[in-house]
Amino acid sequence: LTECGFIGCLLHPFTASAAMAEEEGQEVIFTENTAPDREIWDEKGGLIKKGAAEIAERDQDHVPEVKVLTTLGMFAVPVTAETTIGEIRQKVQEWKPEYSLEQIELVCKDKDAWGPLFNKTSRPRDDDETVESLWSDWDIPRRMMQVALWIKEKNEETGEWESTFWKMLEESKCDDWSFQGHTI
């Protein structure tokens, strides 16, 4: 947990390397749908074509999952199109019971946002947002939706839980920095 309460990071799927986490002695959580990164991606993040047919063959029993990124590795939550962010938060709380449901905040990008829009549209998500509303390819094997886990902190004056994500943005802004098309 960093100073601003961040427990995860928004990474391109190719850079979320479980091997790095294992090397650093961190816990890595895999599901039955996960092939080791070294079987899928080369060092530069490119798809390894040799053996792709065998990998695709293993995906016949694909179960769509949302990957919750943390500094401890990834936590996978099986989902359907109708699964809500609130339901995913509940699964995270069961996995990390040391945090109350009120403290758990899940951050991700808007649907189909890539490149510069990836960071510009990333924000904490509402409990009623669904997987389908945030992820076009939710049911296609080898595609993934990632959310970052942020832990809210209690404001000592008000006693309310405050977003550490928004706090981090506020503390790191500069005069010509914009977020979601708005200057902060």
Side-chain angles (χ1 to χ4, degrees), residues 11 21 26 30 51 78 93 117 130 151 154 162-163 175-176:
L11 297 175
Q26 297 175 343
F30 288 103
Q93 202 275 326
L117 292 177
T130 64
I151 301 299
K154 192 168 268 197
E162 294 184 341
S163 172
D175 291 337
D176 41 327

Side-chain angles (χ1 to χ4, degrees), residues 14-33:
F14 309 140
T15 61
S17 173
M20 286 174 33
E22 286 176 352
E23 287 174 11
E24 295 174 9
Q26 297 175 343
E27 176 184 8
V28 179
I29 298 168
F30 288 103
T31 67
E32 66 278 356
N33 293 326

Side-chain angles (χ1 to χ4, degrees), residues 15-69:
T15 61
S17 173
M20 286 174 33
E22 286 176 352
E23 287 174 11
E24 295 174 9
Q26 297 175 343
E27 176 184 8
V28 179
I29 298 168
F30 288 103
T31 67
E32 66 278 356
N33 293 326
T34 306
D37 282 350
R38 67 184 170 278
E39 292 180 19
I40 303 167
W41 312 111
D42 65 22
E43 300 81 38
K44 295 180 181 176
L47 179 64
I48 298 172
K49 293 182 177 35
K50 181 181 177 187
E54 292 84 10
I55 292 170
E57 195 173 290
R58 288 197 305 232
D59 282 339
Q60 295 298 327
D61 297 328
H62 172 71
V63 176
E65 297 173 327
V66 168
K67 307 291 187 189
V68 180
L69 302 178

